[in-house]
Amino acid sequence: MLHRHVGRRAVITSALAATAGALLAGGAGAPAAAQARGTADGITLRLPAPTGPYRTGITTLYLVDRARRDPLEPRIPVREVMATVFYPARTVRGCPRAPQMTAGAAADFGADGRRSHPELPASGVNWAATMTHSYTGAPADAVRRRPVLLYSPGGGDPRTMGTCVAEDLASHGYVVVTVDHPGDACEVEFPVTMTGRDTVRPTVLRYDPRTDPALFRTLIDTRVADLRFVLGRLAELAAGRNPDAAGRPLPEHLGRALDLRSTGVYGHSAGGTAAALAMDEDRRIGAAADLEGYLDRAPETPGGLGELYPVARYGADRPLLLLGSDGFQDRKGLEHSWPAALAHSQGRASRRQLGHAAHWAFTDYAVLAPQLQAAGLMTAADRAKLVGTAAAVPAVRHHLRSFFARHLSAHRSGTAAHG
């Protein structure tokens, strides 16, 4: 049962120590445009500007799959998904810049983000103050239809921690849809209330799901189903209908900007696993990028080998990018499934590696962690453990732009649109 949301959870903020205000260079590896700023409510972290020629618009979609009960919370009678759409804008005049997180999501992230990432500070950051470079509700540039990319974040992470890459891809002419997986993500704020949950829904994860094969299977299966469901709702949008379950208005011409004949998917960690599997199962997807996600099931016994997913056992029949880091603490865990996918894909899969990087270098933490270190809110060791020491954001942006530019146009020429 849906109810209109009448209020938001108050933002939880913490005072910043006085010594953290002297922030000049943002730390080694942080782009000059992404430097934190101190206030009484804590430092405000900054995201780097996109590099493409288009200004970008942003909107959110609240999507409800009434054919599925929520697999992670039995009290919720349907499966809900929140998504953010980044797109090339025709104009941004009169439109406000959007925050990275909603107020309620930022409050929960500030309180609970350390459960997934103990390297993050317990206080001293105003998570609600970070702004994107995208403009809320700006009319879409629909001079031509544009390739569509879906993004699935890492386990426990919210979709908002994929903003740097999503904005950049949109500024180069893509429509990018970042997808939250409620119950998995550390926090998801909804525009309406629902039986069985609060307006801001926290994660159910309390430990590494790879240590629980049944839970890992459920998480991955849910993510794949979420991505395929979102793709179906985007088809409704492209056909001129509004898929938002709350009936909220959409930016002008947004549906006309979607070219669903040219669709790709990328994801980080568990999201990378889901991206590869979604492409393997769904012919609407023409290319996938797996950013350090396993391609095998969680092993049934500690130290054992998990069953290979079909995309690794039989290979990919469409382009698949496997992008890893040299500092991933479980690099050995990828060496069962990634070589198998490469060997069986007949040249359609490729592997690349980021140097001086760690597992979360594929996310916004890559630019936020150096700012936290410069402010004295994160140690150099914790920064290196979380994201490494390299300036990873430009490299990740480049790899994904190059990959999808090479492969989506070929898919578009040979695949019919799907509704």
Side-chain angles (χ1 to χ4, degrees), residues 147-218:
V148 176
L149 301 176
L150 274 62
Y151 169 69
S152 179
D157 274 352
R159 70 191 192 276
T160 48
M161 281 296 156
T163 298
C164 286
V165 170
E167 283 193 306
D168 191 65
L169 288 164
S171 78
H172 284 272
Y174 295 89
V175 176
V176 184
V177 183
T178 62
V179 179
D180 259 335
H181 304 284
D184 181 334
C186 68
E187 43 71 18
V188 182
E189 184 171 15
F190 295 94
V192 298
T193 58
M194 168 70 74
T195 300
R197 65 156 173 80
D198 294 329
T199 304
V200 179
R201 182 177 171 182
T203 183
V204 301
L205 301 181
R206 296 295 182 270
Y207 50 84
D208 180 359
R210 288 283 290 183
T211 64
D212 184 336
L215 176 61
F216 185 75
R217 185 181 307 113
T218 297

Side-chain angles (χ1 to χ4, degrees), residues 155-312:
D157 274 352
R159 70 191 192 276
T160 48
M161 281 296 156
T163 298
C164 286
V165 170
E167 283 193 306
D168 191 65
L169 288 164
S171 78
H172 284 272
Y174 295 89
V175 176
V176 184
V177 183
T178 62
V179 179
D180 259 335
H181 304 284
D184 181 334
C186 68
E187 43 71 18
V188 182
E189 184 171 15
F190 295 94
V192 298
T193 58
M194 168 70 74
T195 300
R197 65 156 173 80
D198 294 329
T199 304
V200 179
R201 182 177 171 182
T203 183
V204 301
L205 301 181
R206 296 295 182 270
Y207 50 84
D208 180 359
R210 288 283 290 183
T211 64
D212 184 336
L215 176 61
F216 185 75
R217 185 181 307 113
T218 297
L219 294 178
I220 298 301
D221 290 348
T222 300
R223 285 167 169 266
V224 172
D226 287 347
L227 291 172
R228 299 185 68 181
F229 166 68
V230 170
L231 191 50
R233 289 297 183 265
L234 293 177
E236 293 183 7
L237 178 59
R241 297 187 291 274
N242 184 352
D244 189 271
R248 299 175 300 170
L250 298 177
E252 186 180 15
H253 303 315
L254 180 60
R256 289 168 49 188
L258 305 179
D259 182 2
L260 293 175
R261 300 169 302 169
S262 186
T263 298
V265 60
Y266 67 103
H268 171 238
S269 196
T273 305
L277 299 188
M279 181 184 72
D280 192 55
E281 295 180 15
D282 198 319
R283 300 300 304 180
R284 294 174 294 182
I285 299 172
D290 173 359
L291 312 180
E292 214 154 60
Y294 303 97
L295 295 180
D296 56 355
R297 299 184 186 276
E300 295 293 335
T301 57
L305 297 178
E307 178 189 0
L308 292 175
Y309 283 113
V311 71

Side-chain angles (χ1 to χ4, degrees), residues 81-100:
V81 176
M82 288 299 300
T84 297
V85 185
F86 298 88
Y87 54 92
R90 187 181 75 239
T91 179
V92 299
R93 185 175 300 173
C95 299
R97 277 177 63 185
Q100 182 187 26

